[in-house]
Amino acid sequence: MPYPQFDRSRLKILPLEQRVHDVDLKKVLLDPNDPAPEFSDPALPLLAEAMVKARRGHDATVLMMYGAHVIRTGNALYMIELMKRGLVTHFATNGAGSIHDFELAMIGHTCESVAKYVSEGQFGLWTETGLINDIIVQGAKEGLGWGEALGRYIWENNFPYREQSVLGMGYHLGVPVTVHIGVGNDIIHEHPNCDGAAMGQCSYTDFLVYTQSVSNLENGVFLNFGSAVAGPEVYLKALAMCRNVAHQEGRKICHFHTAVFDLQPIDSAEDYHTAPPKSDPRYYFRPWKTILARTVADGGTSFYVRGEHNRTLPNLAKLTFAADEARGK
């Protein structure tokens, strides 16, 4: 190799007990038994009905893609309850989403000050978090996906907060929670024990698990919570693969609901079912053109909900529980 490489053995890795944490699980975790935070949007009851119809009427996929902030803002118990009731059949996140989940399950805290620790040269370099790399190496040897490997470790090693972990409960309940990484994106990629081959293998296994779920999206629902890049891009490629096979078999995957939950200022009066022009900077907001417009153009229905995740997700979940219970009466 003609180019010099950084020597990771020179790094100083510190224990998590020396890190100042920004998120305390006990303070942020939302309880589904409590009233949901105040929030309303006309799309929510429609989506709740669509989710229940997808599961109870069609046995179709309901897939929730989420960014790391969804975990950091305390939504795990709502997600787990959706999992337990069979109302969401697949959860998917990025590398950071899995790291926050792992740290919360292990110590009940996560999230560090980037400003503080990048100045000190310590950002991301924490011993216990680096354990994820070893778990992924073992998972790759066994042919596991990233989410299953971490979920199994959390559950079988009896982490103190495993029942508040989406990864851990996904493994325990047999519900896929897949992780879709970008090389160099996450703090564990800084560590000397990071194995790029194992990392790629585990995440690609998860991509194929994800794609299999998307193959059952006809009459289903795809939800994207705050994932501006991985969410739309992984979904787009998986859907293309599934439609390729469906067309060969004389089937279609076009009648389904999608929804984007984010903070981008898309006015409710705007026609977000059509991608904005390239002259509009929001053209480069991938969830709009990919999830709200292009992939539902052949018969799907899409919704945009603007709001904080610790308000939008609990309210959608509560409405979905109520719609499911009403259907069962």
Side-chain angles (χ1 to χ4, degrees):
M1 180 66 184
Y3 304 117
Q5 295 185 23
F6 184 85
D7 180 6
R8 297 178 297 176
S9 68
R10 299 168 60 198
L11 293 167
K12 180 173 70 173
I13 315 295
L14 297 179
L16 276 174
E17 64 182 15
Q18 294 186 27
R19 188 176 82 183
V20 178
H21 307 281
D22 291 344
V23 174
D24 181 337
L25 182 65
K26 294 179 180 178
K27 293 181 180 179
V28 302
L29 193 63
L30 300 168
D31 188 340
N33 294 311
D34 294 336
E38 186 175 340
F39 183 84
S40 65
D41 187 286
L44 294 185
L46 299 176
L47 281 167
E49 290 289 346
M51 290 168 67
V52 172
K53 187 175 180 180
R55 296 300 306 128
R56 309 311 185 205
H58 299 286
D59 194 26
T61 291
V62 177
L63 196 160
M64 180 183 293
M65 185 84 187
Y66 60 96
H69 197 64
V70 175
I71 292 296
R72 289 165 48 184
T73 50
N75 289 291
L77 289 180
Y78 276 102
M79 298 162 74
I80 291 165
E81 189 63 26
L82 287 163
M83 191 187 293
K84 288 179 176 178
R85 298 190 188 206
L87 293 167
V88 173
T89 60
H90 188 132
F91 289 89
T93 190
N94 55 15
S98 71
I99 292 169
H100 287 308
D101 188 301
F102 185 85
E103 289 185 346
L104 287 169
M106 177 185 279
I107 64 170
H109 293 82
T110 193
C111 211
E112 60 192 297
S113 168
V114 178
K116 170 180 169 62
Y117 288 114
V118 78
S119 292
E120 297 176 5
Q122 199 59 50
F123 174 66
L125 296 167
W126 310 102
T127 303
E128 294 87 343
T129 309
L131 176 62
I132 292 174
N133 288 322
D134 296 331
I135 297 167
I136 293 308
V137 168
Q138 184 60 35
K141 290 178 181 177
E142 297 181 44
L144 301 180
W146 189 293
E148 184 177 5
L150 288 191
R152 181 181 71 173
Y153 194 91
I154 289 168
W155 191 262
E156 294 187 352
N157 286 276
N158 201 26
F159 277 24
Y161 302 98
R162 67 178 186 172
E163 293 187 8
Q164 290 79 44
S165 162
V166 175
L167 289 168
M169 288 300 291
Y171 171 77
H172 177 59
L173 297 171
V175 176
V177 183
T178 54
V179 180
H180 307 271
I181 67 162
V183 177
N185 283 5
D186 301 312
I187 59 173
I188 57 172
H189 305 168
E190 304 173 40
H191 289 236
N193 66 336
C194 182
D195 185 318
M199 191 169 69
Q201 182 178 331
C202 279
S203 192
Y204 193 72
T205 294
D206 268 359
F207 173 64
L208 297 180
V209 173
Y210 177 104
T211 304
Q212 181 60 31
S213 287
V214 172
S215 70
N216 194 37
L217 192 58
E218 178 73 359
N219 298 310
V221 180
F222 175 73
L223 307 169
N224 188 75
F225 278 85
S227 182
V229 179
E233 293 302 329
V234 173
Y235 156 75
L236 177 64
K237 279 68 174 187
L239 182 61
M241 292 164 69
C242 294
R243 282 180 169 170
N244 179 287
V245 173
H247 280 304
Q248 295 179 63
E249 297 174 348
R251 298 183 292 108
K252 289 187 176 182
I253 305 175
C254 58
H255 304 102
F256 54 86
H257 290 74
T258 66
V260 172
F261 295 78
D262 216 298
L263 293 174
Q264 288 291 327
I266 302 175
D267 192 280
S268 59
E270 292 186 85
D271 181 15
Y272 52 72
H273 302 100
T274 301
K278 289 185 178 181
S279 57
D280 186 332
R282 293 175 301 176
Y283 173 83
Y284 300 97
F285 177 54
R286 289 175 173 86
W288 184 343
K289 62 186 178 184
T290 298
I291 300 172
L292 298 177
R294 292 174 176 171
T295 58
V296 292
D298 300 313
T301 303
S302 63
F303 300 94
Y304 182 73
V305 179
R306 185 184 183 194
E308 297 282 354
H309 300 313
N310 57 358
R311 295 182 180 275
T312 59
L313 200 157
N315 279 279
L316 174 63
K318 288 276 193 182
L319 287 168
T320 306
F321 300 154
D324 190 40
E325 290 164 3
R327 185 183 181 91
K329 290 181 180 178

